[in-house]
Amino acid sequence: MKEKQPLKNKLILFVTLLFVYIALFEFILPINKVIPKPTLFFESLENIWNEYGLVYALTLSGSVVYLSILCAYIHLYLGVAGYLKFLTRIEGSLSMLRAFIFLTPLFFVLLFNYWFPQNILGEFVFAFIVSSFWMLHELLNESKRVKEEYILVGKNLNLTPTEILEKIYWNSAQPELFEKIKKINYSLWLLILMYEFVGNSHGVGQVYRTAYSYNDFTALYALAIVTAIIIWLGDFMIAQIKRKFIHWNA
Amino acid sequence: MIELKNISKDFVGQNGIKSNIIKSISASIQKSKITSFYAPHGSGPSYLLKIISGLEIQTEGSVLNPNSEKIIYIPTEPSSFPWYNVFDNVKLGIVNYDLKSVEKMIKLAGLEGYESFHPHNKSYGFRFRIALARSLAQSPGLILMDDPFKLMDNKTKSEMYSLIIDINRTKGTTFCLASSNLDETLMLSDKIFLMSNEPSEIIYKTEVDLPAKRDLSIKKSDEYISVKTKIITEIKKFDVE
């Protein structure tokens, strides 16, 4: 009974806000530049699928985001030993790379758009590199937190250094790596939307650009809601995968 | 038999000051017996076990293992890998493992029927059984246990003591225990080395002449009380606090 209470409260809050929104912007302030009129908004929520080709755009952008995350994860799984050995060896020089954090993501978005104009493969390569970099960064951080006992047992069982990296370091990092993937889901969507908006390449970012160029105020709101739901669904799916397969705390 | 000759271990701290953790330890670990290194405080016995297993290198002295027997180390916790199920934990590190042999060790450790279970969210006793089965599957000459019962409740501890004694008596497996608990040391051991505070050195050794099969009722026996009193006297004498 107690568990149902917060859900009930949320529902009451949602219905109240919806009522206030309809009452305020349908009847009191129907014309304004802040929040669209409810009837127009709900109409737009339906129209964006047909008029702006949102299904196709979502398929493209979603594929780029989730395929790149999946490929980055598989590629790290296959190369974890090599990467960790290499990164540990050059760790002293890695601090030099810190300078890059001051470069805005927009710079890289523009750079890739310059190299691969309106090219879906270029967009995928960009997303793959970004996901791999973020995951590798997390893996390197987690490799410093592996419990000493795991490593001692691994050595004692005569596991090779490569086996220790693959069987102990990789698995030990999984819970935190999946938390990171949840963050990557959100950040990568932002970058891809930016990428498609700037480069006018096919995808949800281009739909935003079109809606913006048409001054379609209500469509921007409808797009924002749909995008938020898609990102939330991605987050939910990643959490379910983690719950199913990564059931331990290292 | 594995023999320790004059083992010492020094550490140099970040401030450059050298500290001596273990000092001139000589001892023998007899085959098919349970030997314990007991210290009420300090990490001396734990370091010693790591040295015996080759996971730490001693500053001086040597570990003589004439038959090059496999020495397996079980840490306090975590003693098993949470991402592997019982079966995968037990076969870890065995090249071309024999299914029947792995299953036999799982059964010996009392984990039959739990092969697909994961240690995560299970009791310390369950996890220790996995570590024990994994160690036995390696066909070891010696199993080193680094304060393995520290986090267990009394009932589980008692079950684990029986399990180890049973395996030792029936299979002849050699065990070596590092412990800070005198009662568990007495419950399990055939021979006890009492170690001082750091730098840890052996200040007293005694054979434990108690019946092979032991349970908690043995604590009330005259022999038990006599050995315990002797060790406590030595602790007080050397001020091992």
Side-chain angles (χ1 to χ4, degrees):
Chain A
M1 192 69 187
K2 272 183 184 173
E3 282 171 11
K4 284 183 180 173
Q5 204 63 32
L7 188 71
K8 196 181 164 189
N9 290 344
K10 277 180 195 171
L11 202 67
I12 291 170
L13 183 70
F14 177 75
V15 172
T16 312
L17 286 176
L18 191 69
F19 176 77
V20 170
Y21 166 58
I22 292 171
L24 196 63
F25 294 99
E26 189 69 39
F27 305 109
I28 303 168
L29 291 165
I31 300 161
N32 71 82
K33 278 198 162 187
V34 183
I35 292 178
K37 196 179 169 188
T39 42
L40 286 178
F41 172 73
F42 291 121
E43 200 178 300
S44 187
L45 206 54
E46 197 186 322
N47 289 343
I48 50 170
W49 300 95
N50 303 321
E51 288 173 15
Y52 287 96
L54 194 58
V55 175
Y56 175 65
L58 268 176
T59 311
L60 276 183
S61 302
S63 304
V64 168
V65 170
Y66 294 111
L67 272 179
S68 68
I69 290 177
L70 181 70
C71 289
Y73 184 82
I74 293 171
H75 131 263
L76 277 189
Y77 169 68
L78 296 173
V80 62
Y83 275 122
L84 282 180
K85 276 182 197 168
F86 174 71
L87 289 173
T88 315
R89 206 171 296 156
I90 61 152
E91 205 172 358
S93 327
L94 281 177
S95 55
M96 279 162 48
L97 291 174
R98 279 176 155 261
F100 283 97
I101 63 169
F102 298 107
L103 291 173
T104 58
L106 182 65
F107 168 71
F108 294 105
V109 165
L110 290 172
L111 204 62
F112 267 78
N113 263 304
Y114 175 75
W115 288 333
F116 309 102
Q118 294 193 319
N119 184 328
I120 186 80
L121 198 65
E123 191 179 330
F124 174 77
V125 170
F126 169 76
F128 173 74
I129 292 173
V130 170
S131 318
S132 298
F133 176 78
W134 279 333
M135 284 188 208
L136 199 57
H137 184 258
E138 186 63 24
L139 202 59
L140 189 64
N141 282 343
E142 281 305 304
S143 73
K144 291 167 192 154
R145 287 197 277 265
V146 177
K147 283 181 182 156
E148 194 200 354
E149 289 81 0
Y150 293 144
I151 302 165
L152 287 178
V153 170
K155 282 181 183 171
N156 188 233
L157 294 174
N158 286 331
L159 297 184
T160 62
T162 303
E163 282 176 320
I164 289 177
L165 290 169
E166 287 172 350
K167 294 179 176 175
I168 297 175
Y169 280 74
W170 171 257
N171 286 314
S172 178
Q174 289 310 299
E176 287 306 314
L177 189 61
F178 263 79
E179 285 305 311
K180 182 71 181 183
I181 291 174
K182 280 167 81 176
K183 287 178 191 158
I184 291 174
N185 169 49
Y186 177 74
S187 309
L188 197 59
W189 264 106
L190 293 189
L191 280 184
I192 288 303
L193 290 178
M194 204 194 286
Y195 191 103
E196 289 164 353
F197 188 94
V198 169
N200 197 22
S201 42
H202 294 301
V204 182
Q206 193 192 39
V207 176
Y208 268 96
R209 188 187 168 107
T210 313
Y212 181 71
S213 65
Y214 289 162
N215 282 327
D216 194 345
F217 174 59
T218 47
L220 285 175
Y221 265 87
L223 276 171
I225 297 290
V226 171
T227 317
I229 291 170
I230 295 295
I231 296 173
W232 176 81
L233 276 176
D235 190 81
F236 178 76
M237 286 300 290
I238 295 163
Q240 291 308 307
I241 294 170
K242 187 189 173 198
R243 216 167 67 119
K244 175 84 181 155
F245 298 104
I246 314 294
H247 42 74
W248 63 87
N249 291 317
Chain B
M1 188 169 77
I2 285 165
E3 206 147 349
L4 315 179
K5 292 255 184 203
N6 241 356
I7 304 269
S8 292
K9 176 77 183 171
D10 295 337
F11 271 108
V12 180
Q14 284 181 333
N15 48 13
I17 297 171
K18 200 163 102 173
S19 60
N20 189 205
I21 301 277
I22 291 171
K23 192 178 166 188
S24 305
I25 286 187
S26 294
S28 61
I29 298 164
Q30 285 172 308
K31 201 157 179 58
S32 302
K33 299 277 180 192
I34 304 177
T35 306
S36 293
F37 291 95
Y38 164 70
H41 300 284
S43 53
S46 180
Y47 267 107
L48 188 62
L49 258 53
K50 284 177 191 161
I51 289 170
I52 298 170
S53 63
L55 293 167
E56 282 277 351
I57 306 295
Q58 64 273 25
T59 314
E60 277 175 40
S62 53
V63 178
L64 302 178
N65 183 1
N67 300 324
S68 301
E69 289 174 310
K70 211 167 193 178
I71 302 174
I72 297 295
Y73 171 81
I74 301 178
T76 308
E77 183 63 28
S79 56
S80 54
F81 297 102
W83 45 85
Y84 288 139
N85 63 22
V86 170
F87 188 85
D88 290 339
N89 255 292
V90 176
K91 76 172 174 66
L92 189 68
I94 308 172
V95 187
N96 300 326
Y97 71 90
D98 170 31
L99 184 68
K100 279 190 177 164
S101 152
V102 171
E103 281 174 348
K104 198 176 152 191
M105 296 312 154
I106 288 173
K107 191 178 175 184
L108 195 63
L111 290 169
E112 198 182 18
Y114 294 95
E115 288 83 352
S116 60
F117 282 53
H118 284 78
H120 180 56
N121 284 343
K122 294 284 181 299
S123 69
Y124 290 117
F126 187 88
R127 295 185 219 173
F128 177 73
R129 282 178 196 271
I130 296 175
L132 193 61
R134 186 184 60 220
S135 306
L136 292 166
Q138 300 279 330
S139 312
L142 171 64
I143 296 178
L144 304 166
M145 301 182 292
D146 190 354
D147 223 345
F149 317 110
K150 200 161 83 177
L151 302 167
M152 295 177 197
D153 58 68
N154 286 338
K155 187 177 172 282
T156 313
K157 273 183 188 177
S158 166
E159 285 170 13
M160 294 306 120
Y161 299 159
S162 305
L163 181 67
I164 286 167
I165 290 172
D166 202 37
I167 292 171
N168 170 258
R169 306 302 188 234
T170 53
K171 276 182 62 75
T173 309
T174 314
F175 287 97
C176 181
L177 173 75
S179 177
S180 54
N181 182 322
L182 182 54
D183 279 316
E184 87 184 13
T185 309
L186 283 165
M187 282 292 295
L188 286 168
S189 313
D190 297 306
K191 192 175 188 180
I192 298 173
F193 291 96
L194 174 62
M195 293 173 79
S196 65
N197 290 335
E198 283 161 21
S200 277
E201 52 185 327
I202 293 169
I203 50 174
Y204 179 69
K205 63 178 174 183
T206 182
E207 304 277 339
V208 183
D209 197 15
L210 292 170
K213 286 275 177 191
R214 298 172 199 176
D215 56 33
L216 289 177
S217 65
I218 208 165
K219 284 186 177 180
K220 289 172 188 159
S221 72
D222 291 341
E223 296 96 322
Y224 186 94
I225 294 166
S226 157
V227 183
K228 190 173 177 178
T229 312
K230 257 197 276 178
I231 293 174
I232 291 171
T233 311
E234 292 299 324
I235 291 172
K236 282 179 182 161
K237 203 158 88 186
F238 288 93
D239 199 23
V240 185
E241 283 294 331

